[in-house]
Amino acid sequence: MVIRNICCIGAGYVGGPTMAVIAYKCSDIKVTVVDVDETRIKAWNDEDISNIPIYEPGLEDIVAEARGRNLFFSTDVEKAIDEAEMIFISVNTPTKTYGLGKGKAADLKYIELCARQIASVAKTDKIVVEKSTLPVRTAEAIKSILDNTGNGVKFQILSNPEFLAEGTAVQDLLNPDRVLIGGEADEDGYVAISALVDVYANWVNREKILTTNVWSSELSKLTANAFLAQRVSSINAMSELCEQTGADVNEVAKAIGMDSRIGSKFLKASVGFGGSCFQKDILNLVYIAKSYGLNEVADYWEQVIKMNDHQKRRFASNIVKTLYNTVSGKKIVFLGWAFKKDTNDTRESAAIYVADDLLNEEANIAVYDPKVSEQKVLADLNYLGTRSSEVNEERVIVSEDPYEACKDAYAVAVLTEWDEFKTYDWRRIYDNMKKPAFVFDGRNILDGEELRRIGFVFKSVGV
Ligand code: NAD
Ligand code: UGA
């Protein structure tokens, strides 16, 4: 079976870049990305390519090449479903904020809506691909909806989780470590699997395309994120011990990372991991384990989240302690608000929680992030509901100029590892700050020795 027409429901951080790369690499496949969010679709279609809604290095060029040729963004979900042979579901699957499983389980209402819409619209057989990250055995629920509410057409369900990381999405998509496809082990299943394998094989070496059963594929995605997040929590746990003992976490990470069994990646101590997925996926894993009565398994993974919460809180309380136990009325600068560099995504960013703690201590906060707007920063803080939006607006300013932000500040805190922070004129920043001038490097990216020479009191994580 040769695929000529793909539809993707969800034009977000995964759907947008993933479909852009499929269209870019497969010029004979028409790819239509649909979303209910009109503003987002409008931005994807903006004539000025720099206005596309997601910032990822390299993405503008890919979209510019494919858009209008075989890549289309639209709000007409039904038409796109009707025309496609293969439909990717790439909608959000956030943590439930209500009812059973509140605070842990994945909220699958958007997935269910997609399944019902596909079933009601489809007049020809379809391959439905789970691209969103889903609890293991979700395909069973999707199949039940499709088979019971459809028009008698046949559906095949594949699991094809996405492993891209934000900030490196385009590179990850162009050159993935592996592509994972789970499907049913029968004749129709094999046909569907091989149709999707053939799409990826346009640019990915077939040896890197792994096929499994649906449940292994669904669970591998949660497992991969849990393992990655666990490395960050493990090194962050060591960072606190380093601070007490005179060991240096950067040296420890290097020393253990050179053991090829451990590996050197994902061992950067930090203010804590953020992003839309690690926390939600581990909580989801914890919920699944608990629902099978596997309490020890659940507790084991939950500890990764507890350690991460502790690391964020510890960073904020270190600032308060170092500034003579009070930050009330003091201006603290946040360099970075995004959850990592090279993205405009702020979901679950550590910066939000550190700011919230410092605002509780009555600090004034000035934020500078090269890709995050004032509106977004305030929306992130308002979402927590800790205080009124008026108070947040009074106490938080967002600056477009880092030097302006640092003027008359008592302390600068680095929350995101943007490369440009390393190139600043730190002498100029020092001269315009209150003394003693403090720098808290939550990402261990600045040259501490140089900053101390300038006169800063410099603190980093795990040193
Ligand atoms: P996102 O919130 O950026 O995008 C989801 C989009 O789906 C939104 O624009 C929303 O309007 C749209 N949507 C929701 N319901 C819809 C419906 N019924 N019809 C049409 N559109 C609908 O989310 P994301 O970051 O792209 O994540 C999507 C999924 O991919 C999640 O399950 C996530 O866990 C997973 N994932 C994310 C990443 C990442 O780095 N962000 C990486 C791998 C996997
Ligand atoms: C992560 C995974 O890396 C992707 O493989 C996965 O597809 C994705 O989740 C997902 O399912 O959403 P992402 O969250 O975009 O990708 O970014 P990461 O590079 O994993 O960073 C996550 C957080 O951990 C960031 O806040 C980052 O700063 C932090 N981190 C990462 C550290 O503090 N130290 C490290 O060594 C690595």
Side-chain angles (χ1 to χ4, degrees):
M1 179 179 186
V2 181
I3 301 297
R4 289 275 170 253
N5 212 319
I6 285 177
C7 152
C8 173
I9 308 179
Y13 282 86
V14 169
T18 309
M19 293 303 128
V21 167
I22 290 183
Y24 175 73
K25 286 290 183 184
C26 314
S27 54
D28 52 351
I29 301 179
K30 180 182 174 194
V31 181
T32 308
V33 194
V34 291
D35 205 296
V36 285
D37 183 339
E38 283 179 23
T39 321
R40 214 167 206 183
I41 290 297
K42 209 164 158 239
W44 278 114
N45 283 324
D46 200 304
E47 258 179 58
D48 179 351
I49 199 79
S50 67
N51 286 335
I52 58 172
I54 284 161
Y55 174 71
E56 279 291 339
L59 183 59
E60 288 174 14
D61 292 344
I62 302 249
V63 173
E65 167 107 18
R67 200 178 58 182
R69 178 189 75 184
N70 63 327
L71 174 65
F72 303 92
F73 295 93
S74 163
T75 50
D76 195 344
V77 182
E78 299 204 344
K79 179 166 180 271
I81 291 173
D82 181 37
E83 289 176 359
E85 296 125 14
M86 181 176 269
I87 301 160
F88 286 78
I89 301 181
S90 191
V91 300
N92 36 331
T93 51
T95 305
K96 264 186 100 175
T97 53
Y98 55 89
L100 199 67
K102 176 180 170 178
K104 280 210 171 69
D107 191 342
L108 298 178
K109 69 178 168 204
Y110 306 110
I111 296 285
E112 174 162 351
L113 270 171
C114 288
R116 287 186 184 275
Q117 198 166 14
I118 294 169
S120 76
V121 171
K123 296 193 284 285
T124 51
D125 295 354
K126 310 275 180 203
I127 299 171
V128 175
V129 184
E130 298 175 343
K131 181 52 94 180
S132 298
T133 302
L134 297 168
V136 55
R137 297 204 77 87
T138 303
E140 202 169 37
I142 295 181
K143 184 143 185 54
S144 161
I145 292 167
L146 290 173
D147 288 348
N148 287 301
T149 64
N151 305 312
V153 300
K154 278 208 245 163
F155 293 102
Q156 270 300 316
I157 300 167
L158 300 177
S159 160
N160 172 222
E162 184 47 61
F163 295 101
L164 68 80
E166 290 177 32
T168 52
V170 171
Q171 273 320 308
D172 294 343
L173 287 163
L174 289 175
N175 192 15
D177 283 349
R178 78 318 207 170
V179 168
L180 178 58
I181 300 171
E184 274 187 42
D186 58 23
E187 206 173 312
D188 290 342
Y190 293 135
V191 171
I193 291 172
S194 73
L196 185 53
V197 168
D198 289 345
V199 172
Y200 283 106
N202 279 295
W203 77 98
V204 180
N205 192 324
R206 282 182 188 267
E207 279 161 23
K208 287 189 170 180
I209 306 177
L210 192 65
T211 58
T212 65
N213 79 33
V214 183
W215 321 126
S216 303
S217 174
E218 288 178 336
L219 188 57
S220 295
K221 174 62 199 178
L222 293 182
T223 310
N225 274 359
F227 270 59
L228 289 168
Q230 175 230 34
R231 282 175 72 91
V232 180
S233 274
S234 296
I235 199 71
N236 281 343
M238 290 305 159
S239 76
E240 190 170 16
L241 192 54
C242 286
E243 286 167 26
Q244 297 298 318
T245 56
D248 175 334
V249 78
N250 302 308
E251 292 178 349
V252 172
K254 186 166 184 194
I256 64 163
M258 284 172 77
D259 185 324
S260 61
R261 293 168 304 175
I262 297 175
S264 61
K265 292 181 184 159
F266 252 72
L267 285 178
K268 276 193 218 100
S270 66
V271 55
F273 61 75
S276 60
C277 293
F278 279 176
Q279 172 160 312
K280 110 173 143 57
D281 292 348
I282 294 175
L283 288 172
N284 183 3
L285 195 62
V286 167
Y287 184 75
I288 294 168
K290 277 226 167 96
S291 71
Y292 286 105
L294 309 179
N295 292 329
E296 288 76 10
V297 178
D299 292 348
Y300 177 78
W301 288 109
E302 194 164 15
Q303 197 57 35
V304 173
I305 302 289
K306 288 187 181 156
M307 187 60 227
N308 196 48
D309 288 339
H310 172 66
Q311 190 74 350
K312 291 183 272 189
R313 236 175 290 119
R314 194 169 82 76
F315 187 76
S317 69
N318 253 339
I319 295 180
V320 178
K321 263 190 243 149
T322 311
L323 267 66
Y324 315 107
N325 287 314
T326 176
V327 289
S328 179
K330 293 179 179 168
K331 181 183 188 183
I332 317 273
V333 179
F334 276 33
L335 290 183
W337 190 262
F339 81 98
K340 62 185 287 198
K341 73 172 179 178
D342 292 337
T343 177
N344 59 350
D345 195 351
T346 65
R347 289 177 289 181
E348 290 298 328
S349 178
I352 303 169
Y353 298 93
V354 174
D356 194 48
D357 281 1
L358 294 177
L359 287 167
N360 282 342
E361 295 287 336
E362 299 187 345
N364 295 322
I365 293 180
V367 179
Y368 168 76
D369 186 293
K371 292 286 175 198
V372 180
S373 68
E374 171 163 20
Q375 199 192 2
K376 190 89 199 60
V377 170
L378 290 170
D380 287 339
L381 286 168
N382 291 340
Y383 183 77
L384 297 180
T386 315
R387 64 193 70 73
S388 71
S389 56
E390 288 77 24
V391 174
N392 282 333
E393 265 172 56
E394 235 168 70
R395 306 277 289 286
V396 181
I397 54 163
V398 179
S399 186
E400 295 202 342
D401 175 47
Y403 296 100
E404 191 52 41
C406 293
K407 214 160 166 240
D408 294 326
Y410 286 76
V412 174
V414 177
L415 275 301
T416 312
E417 73 281 25
W418 287 102
D419 290 333
E420 66 172 65
F421 300 159
K422 294 186 257 185
T423 66
Y424 286 176
D425 181 349
W426 283 94
R427 153 80 48 200
R428 182 176 155 202
I429 292 175
Y430 178 80
D431 287 343
N432 287 320
M433 283 175 66
K434 301 270 189 207
K435 307 295 174 328
F438 296 91
V439 170
F440 297 88
D441 185 355
R443 295 295 186 159
N444 293 0
I445 56 163
L446 299 177
D447 182 345
E449 267 178 45
E450 175 60 19
L451 263 65
R452 285 197 185 100
R453 250 197 309 277
I454 291 172
F456 283 105
V457 179
F458 178 80
K459 300 220 165 191
S460 52
V461 178
V463 186

